[in-house]
Amino acid sequence: MGYIMGKAEGSVAREEWHGHVTALSVAPEFRRLGLAAKLMEMLEEISERKGGFFVDLFVRVSNQVAVNMYKQLGYSVYRTVIEYYSASNGEPDEDAYDMRKALSRDTEKKSIIPLPHPVRPEDIE
Amino acid sequence: MAARGHVQDPNDRRLRPIYDYLDNGNNKMAIQQADKLLKKHKELHCAKVLKAIGLQRTGKQDEAFTLAQEVTVLEPTDDNSLQALTILYREMHRPELVTKLYEAAVRKVPTSEEYHSHLFMAYARVGEYKKMQQAGMALFKIVPKNPYYFWSVMSLVMQAISAQDEKLSQTMFLPLAERMVEKMVKEEKIEAEAEVQLYFMILERLGKFVEALEVVQGPLGEKLTSELQSRENKSMKLYRRLERWPECNALSCKLLLKNPDDWQFYLLYFDSLFQVIDQNWTPPLEGAPSAEGEVHASVAQSISFINERLATEEAKESKHLRGPYLARLELIRRLRERSCPEAMQLGEPLEHMFQFFVKFGDKPCCITDLKIFLDLLTPDQHVQFINRLMEVVPLGMAGEEGEAFPADTRALQRHLCVTQLSRSLGLQHALNTGGKLSLIKELKAHYHHGLQFGTSCLKTELQFSDMYCLMAAHVYLDLWKETGNQSMLWQCMGLLEEGLTHSSSNAQFKLLLLLLYCRLGAFEPVVDLYASLDAKHTSEYIIQAYKYGAFEKIPEFIAFRNRLEHSLHFAQVRTERMLLDLFLEADISSSLEESIKSMSLCPEEDDIPWENLRDNRDLTVFVNWSPADRQLKEEHKQCSVEEETLWLRLRSLTLRLIGCVSSLTHSSTPHNSEKTTENGVTTKPLVFPSLLSQLENTLNQAVQFTETPPRAEYPFLGPVASRLVQAVSSGCCQCQLSMFQLPVHLQELQSLGLDGSAELQTQISNLFKSIAAQLHDILEKCKGDLLEVGDDQSRTQHWFLENLVYFVETVCIVLWVSQYCASVLRPLKSTLQKKKKKKKEASSVTPAVLLGFQEFSSSTQNLLKDALEHIRSQEITLSALKLEALKLELVEASFTKTAMEKVQSSYLRSLQEIGELLKKRADSFKSLKI
């Protein structure tokens, strides 16, 4: 039907401890049921419990359906990562949006203030 | 890849360029640079290892290994050498050598946390659980961190899991692990969720469910936060194991009140309800009814519970959940199974299913939801049900051809759902040929009409109307099966090819096309199709799981690895791959002996885990709307596994026998062993006859299998028949067996000599004759047109191609065995000639066996000429075929032609490849002299 994969990572001291969505997928026949939103909600809940400051994810800039869905769920583009995706031959393929949503621990929502410039994959942690 | 520490060591600077070369795949430069460095700094061991990595990656395994060992014996303790050696040994698939490396390192630096932890992981890679346990404790003694202690505990659990003796697990490993955790609990030293998780695992495996329940529900359970409802889920699991049905019922009730859409809890609710009823359970006189609160103990209570859920759902303004509606149907089913008259109180399933469709018919999952309840309808309700649903599908005005189409994707989804239900009820299967053809027309019209809704879809998305296309393809297949008319198959393939042009990510289209091209023996299009499926690859996460304390995943990963290692399919692919390499390359690019050596094939060893072979196929991968009576059955699966296993046995024995023939030939060649020809001793006296009799037995079983009537035919979308039937009927198996019998006789001849072996010689000559006749018969079965084109259709006769492949494979084996025969006969002949010269006998008769061999050799050469001639003429016929001449229906003509052309082109290429190989084998035969 569908699955979500994620992890908690980042430094607590630098207020970068967060939940990361590694993968989110819903089979075609189980779409339009709100499953993706449900799965995201679960991951956010667990990230809250683990004391994360925010949840983040990477998405292809061309994947408008997904970008819009994440926006509806309260995510915003924090930065663009240039040539984050590569094709199977290793050639650069496409940019990614790094999208974030602040959790309750980040009271001032500092973690989601968009960066002014795009970054390269080697510059992200 | 090296340790890039912050303090710059001068050696790091010197080694840097080599690392860079290796990272960039420039292995030659890496080797050169390492050599240069080693001239100046002989003591820089790491450079040697890096050179070895370069050598390994350029195929010089032996040199690389020697170099690596030179450094290893010095027992290095510098990070650079250790890490480089770790990488090298892993690339060599020798992870056990890494353990030796770090064993030495910790011996020399006994207080190093880092080396101890590397040692633990090295043991983890090779599954040395006992040593892991010790390494974990050693580490904990140096640095008392909890994770190290629990690594050790987990290693005990793994010893328990892997122990052959269940008693040992239950009385030693697990209790010890339990005591180790209890010690930490008592000292209040439990820190992490992983530790509680591990404690839970141990108690569960020990069958201590009550204790496990206490842990989950007690203060330790508060640490279980990584999974939502973790404590509830675990409690539920334990209640079931403990058969505490009242608690199970009460807890599922509570969870359903929280989330009325969680299907698993409905099932548990019903299971526990009927258990409670059957046990005549009554609530205790005092206190709570159960540890989890209120318990439902009657059908009436369950009916009102479900009705309440429905009422709550109905009252909602927002999106309705499907759970309560499906739960009502499930309850009806269960009550009917128990012949409970109360089932009537819940109303008529047809009505509920109709209402469900009204509410959820526009969701793609509606079909899978309703499909499982179709058996609640009586057969006479089927048509009525479909008609009723159809009435509420909003379709536009009927066009000229009388067809009405949905105006948006929601209407399309509804229409599609009814169509799928209709097929699932067998209504489509009941149509006659004309009915099916008009159904296809209708489905295709809906498919094409629906494409307009998906014009803005990304290429990774599916078209809304794809399922119509797939269903039309299925109906074509029904027609093909029923009428035998291959134009149905071509149109099916054309339609799927067309589908892919609109929806390039549709895996169902690709899978079905793969199946069909394979069935026709057209493998050229298969490669790209398969690649485009972009199957996900898995890697191993066991080490990661220890690092992050994901202990519960470790047994899962190990079980998964075992599943792969015991895969029937994997064993088949490996065997076929080796056979193919030999058939294609051995004796051409390198000798048979070298080829066999390079694939580390050892005929004495059977490395297929026959007793534990697993069928890992997913036979439900195809979307399938077949009605219940046409679905895949358990007997089909069993039959298919039996067939596949038999085929694997045949092929693996063939492979090993080829290995034997090679080593026989090698050892009987005079320059390898002078003595063998004199005393007739060969190196592998026992393996060969044993394998030969196994092959004979297996072939008998195979023949029996193919003849046992009546073998149920697999459903079209079920398992694919193996090549067994065709291989047996081509005669190739029998012929190969006969050929493998020759060496046994020739060994005997070798020990007897030419004089006084007349009877044996006649026997051998007869065998030669019989093989020649068999080869001839196989070739006859290859003769026919692969593709026939008539007025309005073309027909494949792909079995001719398959037989041709068996013919070539047999020819290869015949050649290799003949080479062995020649190696035995050659010295016999020369001894004879020497004798003749001595005695100056002018006219003596050539021994029967020599004559027999010569005759066989020349008849085989003639046969190969004939075969090559046939292949050439097939190539000409095939290339000359004009598919354009076919009168095809206009609309899909181009796609149908695409499919046909792919098959044509694939056949041509196969013929060319087979022809080239056969030509080389024929040349080898020509040069085979005694």
Side-chain angles (χ1 to χ4, degrees):
Chain A
M1 285 167 82
Y3 63 86
I4 192 164
M5 259 162 71
K7 57 183 173 182
E9 61 183 4
S11 139
V12 179
R14 282 151 61 193
E15 302 197 357
E16 281 167 357
W17 175 247
H18 68 281
H20 173 76
V21 183
T22 310
L24 171 62
S25 174
V26 175
E29 56 270 40
F30 295 100
R31 294 192 185 150
R32 287 151 229 259
L33 295 169
L35 287 187
K38 192 113 204 147
L39 291 168
M40 288 295 288
E41 197 185 301
M42 287 165 69
L43 190 131
E44 285 162 19
E45 164 69 25
I46 292 166
S47 305
E48 278 284 356
R49 284 193 210 168
K50 291 189 174 283
F53 290 90
F54 59 90
V55 170
D56 79 344
L57 56 93
F58 293 90
V59 59
R60 284 178 184 272
V61 295
S62 68
N63 193 349
Q64 270 307 313
V65 181
V67 172
N68 288 336
M69 181 197 72
Y70 291 128
K71 281 185 178 164
Q72 268 182 11
L73 297 177
Y75 288 75
S76 54
V77 175
Y78 168 68
R79 58 185 169 183
T80 303
V81 188
I82 296 169
E83 290 172 351
Y84 178 76
Y85 296 101
S86 47
S88 49
N89 59 9
E91 291 294 307
D93 186 20
E94 198 179 341
D95 298 351
Y97 287 137
D98 178 356
M99 298 184 80
R100 289 186 175 187
K101 179 177 180 175
L103 295 176
S104 61
R105 189 168 177 185
D106 181 13
T107 44
E108 294 164 42
K109 300 202 184 296
K110 283 190 289 188
S111 63
I112 61 165
I113 301 168
L115 293 191
H117 303 295
V119 296
R120 297 210 52 90
E122 51 270 29
D123 300 326
I124 57 175
E125 305 199 7
Chain B
M1 92 187 158
R4 290 163 185 180
H6 15 266
V7 186
Q8 184 76 337
D9 180 328
N11 282 340
D12 278 357
R13 187 175 40 77
R14 291 185 187 114
L15 293 168
R16 172 69 32 222
I18 315 182
Y19 283 120
D20 289 341
Y21 283 130
L22 286 174
D23 283 348
N24 298 327
N26 197 343
N27 297 314
K28 279 197 183 130
M29 282 304 289
I31 297 170
Q32 276 181 27
Q33 187 69 26
D35 278 334
K36 224 191 272 174
L37 197 58
L38 282 167
K39 262 185 205 151
K40 272 198 243 164
H41 307 273
K42 284 212 173 68
E43 300 311 302
L44 197 46
H45 305 309
C46 182
K48 236 183 217 183
V49 185
L50 296 181
K51 181 182 170 186
I53 293 179
L55 289 168
Q56 166 76 16
R57 290 180 183 173
T58 43
K60 291 174 182 146
Q61 279 87 355
D62 291 348
E63 270 180 76
F65 187 71
T66 315
L67 265 185
Q69 285 294 301
E70 279 175 28
V71 181
T72 303
V73 293
L74 300 172
E75 306 192 336
T77 53
D78 65 296
D79 279 352
N80 285 337
S81 300
L82 285 169
Q83 293 197 18
L85 277 167
T86 304
I87 290 168
L88 178 61
Y89 286 145
R90 238 184 269 160
E91 285 184 15
M92 289 176 159
H93 301 289
R94 300 288 304 270
E96 74 281 3
L97 295 176
V98 181
T99 62
K100 300 275 168 292
L101 204 58
Y102 280 102
E103 276 169 5
V106 301
R107 219 184 302 121
K108 282 188 167 172
V109 195
T111 55
S112 165
E113 179 181 4
E114 198 190 335
Y115 294 167
H116 273 284
S117 119
H118 280 306
L119 180 59
F120 179 88
M121 293 306 173
Y123 286 141
R125 272 208 177 81
V126 292
E128 289 250 28
Y129 303 127
K130 173 123 188 93
K131 287 187 173 159
M132 283 161 74
Q133 181 199 341
Q134 292 158 351
M137 278 321 278
L139 200 45
F140 183 68
K141 275 185 191 137
I142 301 166
V143 199
K145 292 181 187 166
N146 265 19
Y148 297 151
Y149 186 85
F150 285 92
W151 283 2
S152 191
V153 179
M154 185 62 206
S155 309
L156 270 167
V157 175
M158 288 315 296
Q159 286 178 71
I161 292 175
S162 61
Q164 297 292 323
D165 183 0
E166 176 64 18
K167 220 177 139 197
L168 212 56
S169 302
Q170 290 295 325
T171 58
M172 194 171 95
F173 296 126
L174 289 170
L176 188 52
E178 185 193 13
R179 277 203 299 280
M180 279 182 74
V181 183
E182 275 171 354
K183 183 169 177 288
M184 295 297 260
V185 175
K186 275 193 198 115
E187 294 171 13
E188 297 191 341
K189 281 187 185 158
I190 297 285
E191 290 167 1
E193 177 174 6
E195 296 157 16
V196 182
Q197 191 70 49
L198 183 51
Y199 191 19
F200 179 80
M201 263 173 76
I202 294 165
L203 292 172
E204 219 187 3
R205 287 186 182 269
L206 276 169
K208 294 190 166 181
F209 302 120
V210 178
E211 289 84 346
L213 200 56
E214 280 165 14
V215 170
V216 171
Q217 297 179 343
L220 284 178
E222 281 167 26
K223 291 193 187 293
L224 299 169
T225 55
S226 282
E227 191 191 323
L228 292 180
Q229 272 186 19
S230 174
R231 297 174 88 178
E232 288 87 347
N233 290 338
K234 285 196 163 62
S235 296
M236 185 71 95
K237 198 172 161 196
L238 293 165
Y239 288 141
R240 283 184 68 195
R241 291 300 304 263
L242 290 163
E243 302 191 357
R244 289 196 187 169
W245 302 115
E247 277 78 10
C248 201
N249 183 266
L251 182 55
S252 42
C253 251
K254 277 200 285 192
L255 293 171
L256 285 171
L257 285 172
K258 241 168 76 184
N259 178 9
D261 213 24
D262 200 327
W263 188 244
Q264 57 165 333
F265 294 126
Y266 280 112
L267 299 180
L268 282 169
Y269 171 77
F270 294 132
D271 287 345
S272 58
L273 170 81
F274 294 117
Q275 290 283 356
V276 167
I277 293 175
D278 291 344
Q279 287 172 1
N280 292 317
W281 178 87
T282 50
L285 295 173
E286 279 173 47
S290 82
E292 296 287 349
E294 201 201 333
V295 179
H296 292 171
S298 70
V299 171
Q301 271 174 304
S302 72
I303 291 179
S304 59
F305 178 67
I306 296 299
N307 281 335
E308 281 160 29
R309 300 287 69 69
L310 283 160
T312 316
E313 210 50 48
E314 286 289 325
K316 263 176 32 183
E317 290 284 322
S318 63
K319 269 192 191 170
H320 292 295
L321 300 173
R322 293 134 63 222
Y325 299 94
L326 294 171
R328 173 164 56 190
L329 289 165
E330 179 67 21
L331 184 53
I332 294 177
R333 182 211 301 284
R334 298 215 182 194
L335 291 175
R336 280 191 183 180
E337 275 168 7
R338 294 168 62 93
S339 311
C340 282
E342 289 98 326
M344 301 293 283
Q345 293 173 25
L346 283 161
E348 179 56 40
L350 190 147
E351 183 58 30
H352 294 322
M353 288 162 81
F354 171 72
Q355 292 300 341
F356 187 89
F357 177 77
V358 172
K359 277 201 170 60
F360 305 108
D362 56 355
K363 311 268 186 215
C365 64
C366 189
I367 169 69
T368 35
D369 285 348
L370 289 181
K371 206 174 161 182
I372 49 173
F373 296 111
L374 286 177
D375 62 340
L376 294 180
L377 302 176
T378 56
D380 61 315
Q381 286 180 318
H382 290 174
V383 176
Q384 181 200 348
F385 176 59
I386 294 299
N387 289 343
R388 223 169 135 209
L389 298 190
M390 209 45 131
E391 278 167 24
V392 292
V393 176
L395 294 179
M397 294 290 287
E400 281 170 28
E401 306 217 1
E403 271 160 31
F405 296 104
D408 56 26
T409 54
R410 295 185 146 206
L412 179 149
Q413 202 51 249
R414 280 186 189 279
H415 181 261
L416 187 56
C417 182
V418 185
T419 314
Q420 294 177 88
L421 285 168
S422 161
R423 182 160 176 84
S424 304
L425 285 169
L427 300 181
Q428 297 186 354
H429 298 82
L431 295 171
N432 61 19
T433 304
K436 284 195 175 103
L437 284 170
S438 37
L439 172 65
I440 288 173
K441 209 173 150 201
E442 195 185 315
L443 290 170
K444 288 204 285 200
H446 274 276
Y447 170 56
H448 289 123
H449 179 266
L451 289 175
Q452 62 181 296
F453 304 123
T455 44
S456 61
C457 281
L458 297 174
K459 69 172 195 297
T460 49
E461 289 172 85
L462 307 183
Q463 285 291 330
F464 293 95
S465 59
D466 274 356
M467 284 296 190
Y468 288 114
C469 179
L470 189 65
M471 194 183 288
H474 283 189
V475 184
Y476 269 131
L477 291 177
D478 293 342
L479 279 173
W480 177 47
K481 288 264 109 181
E482 282 163 28
T483 65
N485 179 350
Q486 198 170 339
S487 84
M488 296 297 125
L489 177 64
W490 289 125
Q491 290 182 58
C492 170
M493 294 167 80
L495 185 59
L496 291 167
E497 288 280 2
E498 182 190 352
L500 274 182
T501 64
H502 300 300
S503 190
S504 59
S505 298
N506 192 313
Q508 288 295 328
F509 292 170
K510 290 176 194 175
L511 285 169
L512 192 48
L513 270 176
L514 272 173
L515 180 76
L516 298 173
Y517 280 120
C518 283
R519 277 208 157 202
L520 294 184
F523 300 107
E524 199 179 53
V526 163
V527 182
D528 288 340
L529 269 175
Y530 184 76
S532 78
L533 274 174
D534 196 17
K536 292 271 176 283
H537 298 276
T538 58
S539 46
E540 269 191 36
Y541 296 106
I542 296 172
I543 303 302
Q544 237 61 5
Y546 278 103
K547 279 190 187 152
Y548 294 113
F551 295 126
E552 56 180 338
K553 297 289 168 212
I554 294 170
E556 286 178 29
F557 289 146
I558 302 275
F560 183 66
R561 191 170 67 187
N562 287 339
R563 202 174 144 180
L564 296 183
E565 279 169 0
H566 295 152
S567 157
L568 169 60
H569 188 69
F570 173 70
Q572 283 178 328
V573 170
R574 213 167 54 114
T575 308
E576 288 299 331
R577 174 80 232 195
M578 291 201 264
L579 277 172
L580 187 65
D581 282 350
L582 291 180
F583 291 139
L584 291 181
E585 296 297 335
D587 241 3
I588 293 172
S589 58
S590 60
S591 73
L592 176 63
E593 193 207 348
E594 278 163 19
S595 301
I596 283 171
K597 199 187 146 205
S598 76
M599 51 180 76
S600 320
L601 172 69
C602 181
E604 290 95 332
E605 281 168 24
D606 186 358
D607 53 3
I608 297 175
W610 295 104
E611 299 305 314
N612 302 308
L613 276 183
R614 276 193 55 132
D615 180 15
N616 288 334
R617 292 174 300 175
D618 178 0
L619 296 174
T620 61
V621 72
F622 286 101
V623 166
N624 192 346
W625 302 280
S626 296
D629 58 325
R630 287 169 190 256
Q631 293 279 2
L632 180 69
K633 291 181 187 65
E634 198 45 47
E635 57 173 292
H636 293 132
K637 286 189 215 168
Q638 278 170 13
C639 184
S640 163
V641 172
E642 190 192 339
E643 179 179 348
E644 297 288 348
T645 312
L646 258 178
W647 177 237
L648 174 60
R649 245 180 232 285
L650 271 183
R651 299 294 273 183
S652 127
L653 286 167
T654 306
L655 178 66
R656 292 170 66 195
L657 278 163
I658 295 174
C660 280
V661 170
S662 158
S663 64
L664 282 177
T665 314
H666 184 61
S667 59
S668 74
T669 315
H671 64 84
N672 285 315
S673 165
E674 293 289 339
K675 283 181 181 166
T676 45
T677 45
E678 283 170 25
N679 58 18
V681 175
T682 50
T683 45
K684 313 261 176 351
L686 291 170
V687 192
F688 196 97
S690 149
L691 289 179
L692 191 61
S693 77
Q694 285 180 53
L695 181 67
E696 198 167 356
N697 287 336
T698 312
L699 185 54
N700 284 337
Q701 282 176 44
V703 171
Q704 236 172 39
F705 179 88
T706 59
E707 285 171 354
T708 311
R711 263 183 326 114
E713 204 186 329
Y714 306 131
F716 195 85
L717 298 172
V720 177
S722 77
R723 290 154 64 201
L724 182 72
V725 175
Q726 189 69 25
V728 169
S729 82
S730 76
C732 79
C733 299
Q734 187 55 51
C735 181
Q736 290 171 16
L737 176 68
S738 308
M739 202 63 204
F740 283 129
Q741 280 163 345
L742 274 170
V744 180
H745 299 305
L746 277 149
Q747 277 174 315
E748 207 184 325
L749 181 73
Q750 211 170 19
S751 57
L752 286 177
L754 285 178
D755 301 327
S757 60
E759 204 176 314
L760 180 62
Q761 290 193 40
T762 317
Q763 210 182 336
I764 295 174
S765 301
N766 287 340
L767 196 48
F768 276 132
K769 275 187 197 121
S770 147
I771 293 164
Q774 290 183 55
L775 268 177
H776 177 266
D777 289 346
I778 303 176
L779 183 60
E780 284 309 303
K781 288 182 186 164
C782 302
K783 289 184 177 170
D785 288 339
L786 288 180
L787 199 57
E788 278 187 341
V789 178
D791 265 355
D792 59 346
Q793 77 152 314
S794 66
R795 206 163 66 92
T796 55
Q797 304 193 91
H798 42 276
W799 50 90
F800 290 130
L801 186 61
E802 193 173 352
N803 286 350
L804 197 54
V805 171
Y806 295 133
F807 176 74
V808 180
E809 290 186 3
T810 310
V811 166
C812 293
I813 291 172
V814 166
L815 172 68
W816 296 326
V817 178
S818 301
Q819 283 169 344
Y820 166 69
C821 295
S823 75
V824 172
L825 296 177
R826 221 173 280 130
L828 290 178
K829 191 180 169 191
S830 65
T831 320
L832 184 75
Q833 278 164 345
K834 276 180 212 155
K835 270 193 206 158
K836 270 189 201 166
K837 271 185 193 163
K838 265 190 200 160
K839 295 187 181 169
K840 302 206 171 129
E841 285 175 61
S843 62
S844 76
V845 205
T846 312
V849 69
L850 298 181
L851 273 179
F853 181 81
Q854 277 152 0
E855 266 173 37
F856 176 67
S857 172
S858 70
S859 83
T860 307
Q861 286 179 45
N862 287 335
L863 191 74
L864 291 182
K865 247 185 250 166
D866 184 14
L868 285 167
E869 198 48 53
H870 164 67
I871 292 173
R872 208 166 306 130
S873 77
Q874 267 300 300
E875 282 179 46
I876 294 166
T877 320
L878 253 184
S879 333
L881 274 189
K882 293 279 179 281
L883 293 172
E884 303 89 72
L886 288 173
K887 294 172 209 141
L888 298 168
E889 268 183 70
L890 274 174
V891 197
E892 313 94 20
S894 70
F895 293 109
T896 307
K897 242 174 235 168
T898 304
M900 285 182 186
E901 278 160 5
K902 283 186 180 176
V903 171
Q904 182 188 24
S905 151
S906 176
Y907 284 173
L908 250 178
R909 185 161 147 198
S910 296
L911 285 173
Q912 280 158 3
E913 285 178 9
I914 293 171
E916 276 166 32
L917 180 61
L918 205 57
K919 176 90 187 30
K920 287 177 191 155
R921 297 305 182 200
D923 290 344
S924 301
F925 256 106
K926 269 182 221 155
S927 57
L928 187 64
K929 299 261 156 52
I930 54 170

